[in-house]
Amino acid sequence: MDLNSPKVTNADKLDMCKKYFYMGFAFLPFLWLINAVWFFGEAFWKPPYPEQKTIKKLVIASGFGSLVWFIVFISWVIVFTENRAAWGATGDRMSSNIPIGMP
C-alpha cells in the first residue's frame, strides 16, 4: 500500500497502523519495527490531521516495543552463547546445532 496515494484515506492509514501494532503482540516484534519505520513520516512529518495523534502514539509504542524485544533477544543470545557448555545436557537440549568440544 502506497501511503501517499490519494486513494488511501487517513482512516485507512490508521487502520493499517493499528493492525500492525496489535499483530506485534503475537510475539512478532519485527512487525512493530516495520510499523515504526513505515508510519514514521506519516506520524511526524505530515501536516496535522485528526487520525495523526493516534498514529503517532502507535508509532512510538511500536518502536519502543520493538527495541525492548530486540534487547531481550540479544541478551538471551549472549547469555546462551556464554553458558551453553556449562549448562550441560540442558544446554545441549536447547541447541539445534551442538558444537563439538568446549568453547
Side-chain angles (χ1 to χ4, degrees):
M1 174 189 298
D2 181 16
L3 296 177
N4 295 324
S5 172
K7 294 180 182 179
V8 180
T9 65
N10 292 334
D12 290 339
K13 294 173 189 176
L14 177 60
D15 185 51
M16 178 70 86
C17 188
K18 281 183 180 180
K19 285 180 184 176
Y20 274 84
F21 178 72
Y22 291 124
M23 286 190 293
F25 281 106
F27 300 109
L28 301 169
F30 189 65
L31 285 179
W32 280 337
L33 179 65
I34 290 171
N35 195 31
V37 170
W38 198 11
F39 285 99
F40 184 83
E42 198 66 37
F44 296 102
W45 294 340
K46 298 282 181 164
Y49 55 90
E51 293 87 357
Q52 188 179 32
K53 185 176 180 181
T54 307
I55 290 175
K56 191 178 291 189
K57 288 179 186 176
L58 293 171
V59 166
I60 291 169
S62 294
F64 181 73
S66 181
L67 180 67
V68 168
W69 269 102
F70 284 115
I71 288 171
V72 168
F73 177 72
I74 293 189
S75 299
W76 167 247
V77 168
I78 291 169
V79 167
F80 183 75
T81 302
E82 292 293 320
N83 298 310
R84 187 207 58 82
W87 292 343
T90 303
D92 289 344
R93 277 190 236 112
M94 288 193 290
S95 297
S96 59
N97 181 13
I98 301 172
I100 298 173
M102 294 294 289

